[in-house]
Amino acid sequence: MTVWNEVSAALPPGQVAIDGFPRFGTSISAPPPAVPRDPVIQVRGAVTEGLDVPLSALDTLPRLDLRADFHCVSGWSATGLDWAGVPFASFYRTYVEAALAPDVVVTHLVFRGHDGFRSVLTIEDALADDVLVADHLGGEPLAAEHGAPARLVCPRHYGYLSTKHLCRVDVHTSEPRHVQRSWALRVLAPHPRARVAQEERHRYVPAWALRRPYRFLMRRLLAQSRAAS
Ligand SMILES: Nc1nc2c(c(=O)[nH]1)N[C@H]1C(S)=C(S)[C@@H](COP(=O)(O)O)O[C@H]1N2
Ligand SMILES: [Mo]
């Protein structure tokens, strides 16, 4: 087993450390989605044939323990989280790469959760060696509020790329554009890379313009999340 420690001494720009690790996301008012009895990760898109990888198959891949901070785009950071799982790159090389249609050049992957949540990563960012399909947190199986049965964890990117309740990976050969219906979500479109160190919070709105409103919002949402748990 490989152990990797990525906790840094200073927080990235605009982040505030908080105690603990709250449940967070676009749907904290709803209960976490139910976990199917035999969960699979579907692989779809630019593959010759769609495949369903049972989560139990991950037991055959090398495991990685990763200690890392976790940064939400709204400005809170949970520090020193102990994740365990398999590197996403191992999953990709074992299952996805073998299924790619010939001559396909993959540029992006879309990750989907059982609650309908989606995130988009460039292939380079997705295959970085600290990106994990995590099934344990703090030595325990991943709890429902943190993404059971397994989630993506990409600690160098804002939390919105770390899709919980991972159930599907779509392979793309160009940047997928999905048009948000509400103007607020269109304005706050995700950054194409969302790297925390570069403070790439959103695609159009500059990060500095959001620090204050986000800090206000963050306090309210954290209180709501704590009250619900
Ligand atoms: N499936 C799913 N994954 C998700 C979200 C979500 O709402 N649904 N929210 C994202 C956001 S914005 C953040 S900050 C983190 C929060 O993870 P946590 O609830 O484990 O703290 O999950 C990310 N992944
Ligand atoms: Mo977030």
Side-chain angles (χ1 to χ4, degrees):
M1 169 174 323
T2 316
V3 181
W4 195 314
N5 189 333
E6 201 168 87
V7 170
S8 55
L11 283 181
Q15 295 299 113
V16 178
I18 57 161
D19 288 332
F21 186 35
R23 177 182 178 221
F24 213 76
T26 51
S27 49
I28 40 175
S29 50
V35 174
R37 195 175 323 167
D38 296 308
V40 299
I41 300 177
Q42 300 183 320
V43 179
R44 298 290 187 274
V47 286
T48 44
E49 213 177 323
L51 68 152
D52 293 354
V53 182
L55 222 53
S56 55
L58 300 191
D59 294 344
T60 62
L61 299 178
R63 294 188 65 83
L64 177 71
D65 281 7
L66 174 69
R67 170 168 287 190
D69 298 339
F70 188 92
H71 311 286
C72 174
V73 72
S74 70
W76 59 262
S77 295
T79 53
L81 301 181
D82 286 309
W83 301 102
V86 303
F88 176 73
S90 306
F91 175 88
Y92 185 85
R93 300 222 154 90
T94 308
Y95 297 107
V96 184
E97 222 157 58
L100 292 180
D103 300 327
V104 156
V105 179
V106 179
T107 62
H108 294 79
L109 300 175
V110 177
F111 296 86
R112 201 183 296 202
H114 281 296
D115 56 353
F117 184 91
R118 307 198 322 169
S119 64
V120 183
L121 267 88
T122 66
I123 189 70
E124 291 79 14
D125 288 344
L127 296 182
D129 32 18
D130 60 348
V131 176
L132 215 58
V133 179
D135 52 14
H136 281 71
L137 172 62
E140 305 282 339
L142 200 57
E145 65 262 37
H146 289 303
R151 75 180 297 170
L152 198 72
V153 176
C154 35
R156 282 183 287 160
H157 301 262
Y158 285 112
Y160 65 76
L161 292 190
S162 290
T163 290
K164 301 191 278 188
H165 322 289
L166 183 63
C167 65
R168 178 164 162 157
V169 179
D170 278 278
V171 180
H172 287 261
T173 54
S174 61
E175 188 186 13
R177 309 277 342 209
H178 83 283
V179 178
Q180 295 285 0
R181 261 172 303 150
S182 84
W183 67 266
L185 288 180
R186 257 179 279 155
V187 170
L188 295 178
H191 190 280
R193 301 205 52 200
R195 289 168 298 177
V196 181
Q198 279 80 356
E199 208 177 353
E200 295 168 337
R201 291 185 198 270
H202 293 284
R203 185 182 292 258
Y204 308 116
V205 184
W208 59 262
L210 284 168
R211 280 192 186 174
R212 261 150 64 90
Y214 266 180
R215 201 149 294 176
F216 174 76
L217 189 74
M218 173 178 78
R219 279 201 206 101
R220 300 186 50 145
L221 287 174
L222 283 177
Q224 193 186 330
S225 164
R226 292 215 163 95
S229 62

